[in-house]
Amino acid sequence: MSHQGRCSATKTEKPATIFLFLFLIIVSAQKTTTFTVGGNSGWTFNVENWTDGKKFKAGDILVFNYDPSSHDVAVVDANEFTSCSASSNSKTFSTGKDRVKLSKGLNYFICTVPGHCNGGVKISVNAS
């Protein structure tokens, strides 16, 4: 005896519904956020505390807005961050409207113009 109707349709719809639900959870969990470093002030002196109270994820985008005749942005390692000196291997941006995707873990950024990093034009960002 064959059964037709809602019971047989429900059995095939359940896996599809569960799959869709899980897919939406994963997609929403992976949603990235774009942050403008320094807010309205941009990438400038004393920006190093800008990250306080913010939560960052791998894949989030940092936007560095600044006057390219005054600043730049270098992606550096922990030692370079502490010493305020970028190596020749450091990726440096200089457009004044730079977008950088965060990697998981600690991300370090400094301005390489002499005296600027020591003046607070530097941030460290921990992305989960």
Side-chain angles (χ1 to χ4, degrees):
M1 179 168 155
S2 160
H3 295 317
Q4 292 184 351
R6 292 184 0 171
C7 290
S8 61
T10 303
K11 286 181 183 177
T12 59
E13 288 177 4
K14 279 185 181 180
T17 302
I18 291 170
F19 175 79
L20 180 61
F21 179 73
L22 292 174
F23 176 77
L24 291 174
I25 288 174
I26 291 168
V27 168
S28 66
Q30 292 178 346
K31 187 174 184 178
T32 61
T33 303
T34 300
F35 294 92
T36 301
V37 176
N40 292 335
S41 299
W43 178 240
T44 191
F45 293 97
N46 300 311
V47 73
E48 59 193 321
N49 294 325
W50 169 80
T51 59
D52 292 351
K54 294 176 180 62
K55 294 187 184 220
F56 301 94
K57 300 182 304 297
D60 283 350
I61 304 293
L62 296 185
V63 178
F64 292 85
N65 291 323
Y66 57 92
D67 178 352
S69 67
S70 301
H71 298 292
D72 63 12
V73 179
V75 181
V76 297
D77 65 24
N79 291 331
E80 295 167 323
F81 181 80
T82 302
S83 67
C84 281
S85 62
S87 72
S88 59
N89 295 333
S90 299
K91 172 73 174 159
T92 302
F93 300 90
S94 58
T95 69
K97 295 190 179 299
D98 306 311
R99 297 172 63 85
V100 180
K101 184 187 287 190
L102 292 175
S103 300
K104 185 175 177 121
L106 289 168
N107 297 256
Y108 300 97
F109 306 92
I110 66 170
C111 178
T112 66
V113 174
H116 287 201
C117 178
N118 287 324
V121 189
K122 64 190 233 176
I123 60 170
S124 64
V125 177
N126 193 2
S128 60

